[in-house]
Amino acid sequence: RNIRSHQDQCPYRVVMCMFHKYGCMEKGNLTAMDEHVKNSCTEHLMLLCSAMDYTQQRRLTETHITCPKKKFKCIINNFSHLAMRQVIDVNLDVSWKLKIWPNGEDKRHKGYVSVRLFSREASPTFRVEGPYTLRIVNHLDPTKSTVKMTEASSREWADSVRGWGFPAFARVDDVLNPEIGFVKDNKLVIEVEVLVQSVVEIVEYNEEE
C-alpha cells in the first residue's frame, strides 16, 4: 500500500504532458513536465487552436449532412427539349446532387435514362452511409412509377466522382411517351429519398522514417 501511494505521489514518476489529448507527445517526470509546459506555450496554443478548428468544422459538417431522412421532389421542366442534352445537373441542397443523363451516361446505356445521386461532401477520406430510393413519377398511375432502391440496408457514398445510381433507370422512349404517363405538361418528376445512417471520416497514419 505504501509503495502504491509513493508511486502516485513520487515527483520522479513518468507522466504524459497535460496537453497529450490535443496532440503533444512529450513525457517525463513531473519536474521535467513543469518545465516543458512553461517553455512550450506557443506549441500548446497551436495544438488547442487546431483542435478547436477541427471540432467546429466537424459540427458544421454533421449539421449539413447528418439527418434522419430527407426527401426531394425534382421537377425537370421542358424535358423533351432537354432529352438531347448530355447531362442535367440538379443541386438538391448543400449536401446532395442529382445527375440525369436523358439518353444514357455512356454508349452502353444509350436509349435509357441514367440517374445518379451524389453526396457533395463525400471524398476518399469522408464517407457517407445509408440507403436511398429514386423514383420517376407516373402522373397517370402512381403505382406504375419506376422505382429503384438499394437492396442492402446501407450504402456508402465514398465515390464523389461516379456517385451511386442506375445507368439503365428507364427507357427513353417510355419516358417521352405521353400515353405512358411519365411526362406531364412536358415536366418530368423524380423523387429522391435518402437516409443517412452514419458519417465516417477516414484518417490514415504513416510513420515517418
Side-chain angles (χ1 to χ4, degrees), residues 6 11 23 28 33 37 49-50 58 77 91-92 95 97 106 114-115 127 134 138 145 148 155 171 183 205:
H6 172 73
M33 283 296 96
V37 171
C49 290
S50 178
R58 185 64 175 170
N77 296 304
N91 294 320
L92 300 176
S95 298
K97 180 172 70 172
D106 53 34
S114 303
V115 183
R127 188 173 68 219
L134 301 174
N138 189 303
S145 298
K148 303 280 188 179
R155 188 73 152 182
R171 295 189 60 86
V183 174
Y205 169 75

Side-chain angles (χ1 to χ4, degrees), residues 7-181:
Q7 289 176 338
D8 291 339
Q9 300 177 10
C10 179
Y12 296 102
R13 73 180 189 276
V14 176
V15 296
M16 296 297 298
C17 173
M18 61 187 298
F19 290 90
H20 172 70
K21 67 178 180 180
Y22 300 110
C24 183
M25 302 305 294
E26 286 291 326
K27 60 181 178 180
N29 60 48
L30 290 177
T31 302
M33 283 296 96
D34 286 342
E35 288 298 316
H36 165 69
V37 171
K38 291 177 182 178
N39 297 327
S40 305
C41 293
T42 302
E43 290 81 358
H44 290 158
L45 181 60
M46 292 177 65
L47 289 172
L48 284 172
C49 290
S50 178
M52 291 175 64
D53 287 343
Y54 173 81
T55 301
Q56 184 179 19
Q57 183 62 39
R58 185 64 175 170
R59 286 176 179 172
L60 286 173
T61 301
E62 290 180 349
T63 299
H64 285 160
I65 204 168
T66 305
C67 60
K69 192 172 187 178
K70 277 200 171 184
K71 294 183 179 181
F72 303 97
K73 178 179 283 189
C74 177
I75 302 174
I76 303 173
N77 296 304
N78 300 316
F79 183 75
S80 62
H81 299 296
L82 299 175
M84 300 304 295
R85 183 178 294 187
Q86 185 175 1
V87 62
I88 302 170
D89 284 291
V90 181
N91 294 320
L92 300 176
D93 69 358
V94 296
S95 298
W96 303 103
K97 180 172 70 172
L98 196 67
K99 277 193 173 186
I100 303 105
W101 290 261
N103 197 26
E105 65 181 27
D106 53 34
K107 292 181 179 180
R108 290 189 302 123
H109 299 99
K110 189 174 182 179
Y112 287 90
V113 176
S114 303
V115 183
R116 289 188 179 274
L117 178 66
F118 293 78
S119 166
R120 294 162 67 88
E121 281 123 343
S123 70
T125 59
F126 196 84
R127 188 173 68 219
V128 184
E129 296 179 341
Y132 65 92
T133 301
L134 301 174
R135 180 185 295 105
I136 295 182
V137 176
N138 189 303
H139 299 279
L140 298 180
D141 185 354
T143 63
K144 294 182 179 180
S145 298
T146 300
V147 182
K148 303 280 188 179
M149 65 183 68
T150 51
E151 297 178 358
S153 60
S154 68
R155 188 73 152 182
E156 61 182 49
W157 286 273
D159 190 343
S160 60
V161 177
R162 191 161 173 77
W164 291 102
F166 306 91
F169 197 98
R171 295 189 60 86
V172 178
D173 293 341
D174 292 340
V175 172
L176 292 176
N177 188 341
E179 296 182 359
I180 294 179

